[in-house]
Amino acid sequence: SRPENKRGGAWMDVCIGKSKAVNREIPVAYLTCNGSPPVGDKPSLMTFREVETLFHEFGHGLQHMLTTAEEGDVAGINGVEWDAVELPSQFMENWCYDRPTIFGFAKHYATGEPLPEEMFSKLCEQKTFNAGMMACRQLLFGQLDMELHSNFDPVAAEKGEGESIFDVQRRMAEKYSPYNMPIDEDRFLCAFNHIFGGGYAAGYYSYKWAEVMSADAFGAFEDVGLDNEEEVKKVGRKFRDTVLSLGGGVPPMDVFKEFRGREPNPEALLRHNGLA
């Protein structure tokens, strides 16, 4: 609400972690989210993106608070492998496009009128706008990151005997975004903080992989029919007893297979993005 002197973005963090060793039974999480400030005599009102962000961070909070793991180092979000840590959070974002969920709270702050149907339709449509180009962008960043950390030879590059980082960038762009090749002066890599100062070194692919897993997990609810409340409850309980409960002590692939009955596939993500 005060962007001029507060850190931007949003995050979930641990207040109290579950641990049998120190007799902590009830885990506590906190969410930090920036909201739009009041304007004139109107109160602070959340934008749709802020609602989506709240759902996202609440997914992290649920995994922390609903854990059944008793060892502190693997309870809740602790010890969860990097490429699966965003599964619960991105999963929760799907409910922002579920009509009963949105119409359960999206009302005019003064009149109480529900969100207009036309506006809800536009919110759903914007989700798939340029989705293909965004997918190519993330695939490019993920592969570029992996190439730089696995095959790039900085010594040879410095001697002029091998590719420079910008050569690698262009080679990857030719494959994943040939419609948007970097110009000679492009120095995006110098500011790609995620992969050298942001904790995502050789791990940027996890953004896209988490999308695959979260969309496929939500697909389990779609398979039984989102309007079938009893079946949705059953699937929700299974999701709670696996993804939200087992923590970092069980490999994420095993957790997912226990919930879904198979390994994840990208079909649901392609469908959600309007690409299939």
Side-chain angles (χ1 to χ4, degrees):
S1 59
R2 298 189 301 277
E4 72 279 1
N5 53 27
K6 292 180 67 178
R7 174 182 167 185
W11 57 94
M12 167 264 159
D13 212 339
V14 176
C15 179
I16 299 175
K18 185 170 184 175
S19 173
K20 185 177 180 179
V22 293
N23 198 30
R24 289 178 177 170
E25 292 290 332
I26 302 177
V28 178
Y30 65 85
L31 310 182
T32 302
C33 299
N34 283 283
S36 299
V39 177
D41 58 354
K42 293 182 179 180
S44 175
L45 302 172
M46 297 180 74
T47 66
F48 178 75
R49 198 61 63 207
E50 289 167 352
V51 172
E52 197 173 38
T53 298
L54 178 59
F55 272 63
H56 178 104
E57 299 304 333
F58 191 60
H60 288 306
L62 286 175
Q63 187 174 34
H64 174 68
M65 294 183 291
L66 297 178
T67 187
T68 55
E70 295 184 330
E71 300 298 329
D73 287 344
V74 294
I77 63 173
N78 292 331
V80 177
E81 292 178 24
W82 196 256
D83 52 4
V85 74
E86 294 295 331
L87 166 56
S89 54
Q90 292 188 359
F91 164 83
M92 285 297 294
E93 291 182 28
N94 289 285
W95 295 105
C96 292
Y97 300 90
D98 176 58
R99 190 183 184 284
T101 301
I102 289 297
F103 280 82
F105 66 84
K107 297 177 174 60
H108 193 280
Y109 81 99
T111 67
E113 293 181 17
L115 181 75
E117 288 283 356
E118 180 184 8
M119 188 172 293
F120 178 68
S121 296
K122 289 182 177 180
L123 287 173
C124 293
E125 290 170 1
Q126 61 83 31
K127 185 181 181 183
T128 60
F129 180 72
N130 276 347
M133 296 182 72
M134 182 57 71
C136 288
R137 175 182 181 272
Q138 290 299 86
L139 291 171
L140 168 61
F141 289 174
Q143 188 60 52
L144 177 58
D145 167 42
M146 196 65 73
E147 187 73 10
L148 288 172
H149 283 96
S150 58
N151 296 322
F152 173 65
D153 185 343
V155 176
E158 189 173 5
K159 293 179 179 178
E161 299 173 355
E163 288 184 307
S164 70
I165 60 173
F166 305 112
D167 292 331
V168 176
Q169 180 186 8
R170 290 189 63 83
R171 178 161 56 84
M172 293 294 101
E174 287 174 355
K175 181 176 182 180
Y176 292 100
S177 61
Y179 54 85
N180 187 30
M181 293 295 294
I183 61 176
D184 292 339
E185 294 80 9
D186 186 291
R187 292 298 180 267
F188 159 74
L189 281 175
C190 297
F192 195 9
N193 182 60
H194 277 76
I195 68 170
F196 61 82
Y200 280 86
Y204 194 91
Y205 76 93
S206 63
Y207 278 112
K208 205 63 188 172
W209 181 239
E211 285 185 49
V212 171
M213 297 180 75
S214 62
D216 201 4
F218 192 72
F221 292 80
E222 294 175 317
D223 288 347
V224 301
L226 294 174
D227 57 348
N228 188 335
E229 190 170 341
E230 287 304 314
E231 290 302 314
V232 165
K233 284 182 179 179
K234 291 179 183 179
V235 178
R237 174 62 66 177
K238 190 175 183 180
F239 187 73
R240 171 177 176 166
D241 292 342
T242 53
V243 176
L244 298 179
S245 297
L246 297 177
V250 181
M253 185 61 75
D254 293 345
V255 174
F256 189 91
K257 287 193 291 187
E258 187 172 342
F259 167 63
R260 202 67 169 97
R262 56 166 174 74
E263 293 187 359
N265 70 58
E267 292 179 8
L269 178 61
L270 292 172
R271 177 165 45 81
H272 292 171
N273 286 344
L275 301 175

